[in-house]
Amino acid sequence: MASSLANLLYHIVFSTKGRQPLVTEDLREPLFRYIGSIVLKHRGILLEIGGMPDHLHCLVKCPPSLAMSSMLRAIKSDSSAWVSRRHPDRFFAWQRGYGAFTVSASQVEVVRRYIRNQEAHHGQWSFEEEYLQMLERHGVEYDERFLWN
């Protein structure tokens, strides 16, 4: 094969430190735009972003030259530093772990709708219930003793 081609799509979920409601209404849109700029800086594309005050969902197209974990490390560290610079009086941090799920190109619109409708989902399920459902749906093995730390 003469060239290398890839379409690496990930649905990434991560929460605020201690799942505190740190993504406030005034921070939401500027934070989302800033996260989009981080993804772009690393040659990725942020296809969708949304969430609740205590967690975010991102649909990201990653370049094949960058591991998804490196992209997420950049998103979390750069965005938390940005919030801290912008609001030095406000505590802001992301929790250490994350969930990342591959997405087929045929399911992009389904995942986009899912991310856009987070408020409706959380009228029915807590973040913890939603996250466990995602892990089970994607066949991810986990030890619940270490899931929420």
Side-chain angles (χ1 to χ4, degrees):
M1 204 179 262
S3 60
S4 299
L5 305 171
N7 189 24
L8 304 175
L9 303 166
Y10 297 96
H11 179 183
I12 303 167
V13 183
F14 53 99
S15 67
T16 58
K17 184 88 170 170
R19 289 180 305 288
Q20 296 177 48
L22 303 177
V23 183
T24 56
E25 196 60 40
D26 66 314
L27 185 58
R28 185 180 171 90
E29 291 306 317
L31 177 62
F32 288 4
R33 283 192 303 275
Y34 190 74
I35 289 173
S37 74
I38 296 167
V39 172
L40 208 58
K41 177 176 134 185
H42 289 85
R43 300 180 348 151
I45 301 169
L46 181 64
L47 299 171
E48 197 69 50
I49 187 168
M52 298 298 289
D54 65 345
H55 72 281
L56 292 186
H57 292 255
C58 301
L59 179 58
V60 177
K61 181 174 183 172
C62 288
S65 60
L66 183 68
M68 187 282 310
S69 60
S70 297
M71 175 70 82
L72 191 51
R73 184 173 32 258
I75 289 170
K76 289 170 71 175
S77 65
D78 292 2
S79 64
S80 62
W82 177 82
V83 172
S84 296
R85 283 191 311 274
R86 189 175 165 124
H87 301 282
D89 57 323
R90 183 186 293 189
F91 169 80
F92 189 90
W94 297 113
Q95 195 144 351
R96 192 179 52 199
Y98 62 88
F101 311 95
T102 55
V103 176
S104 168
S106 66
Q107 295 300 302
V108 166
E109 285 309 312
V110 172
V111 174
R112 289 179 86 140
R113 276 193 306 274
Y114 180 83
I115 292 171
R116 284 186 207 125
N117 291 315
Q118 280 297 292
E119 288 189 30
H121 293 305
H122 292 291
Q124 297 176 316
W125 301 289
S126 69
F127 169 67
E128 290 83 355
E129 291 168 322
E130 173 194 41
Y131 192 61
L132 288 172
Q133 288 172 8
M134 291 179 78
L135 293 173
E136 290 169 15
R137 186 170 46 244
H138 289 277
V140 177
E141 293 182 24
Y142 60 91
D143 185 335
E144 198 159 352
R145 293 176 299 165
F146 306 109
L147 199 56
W148 308 116
N149 296 339

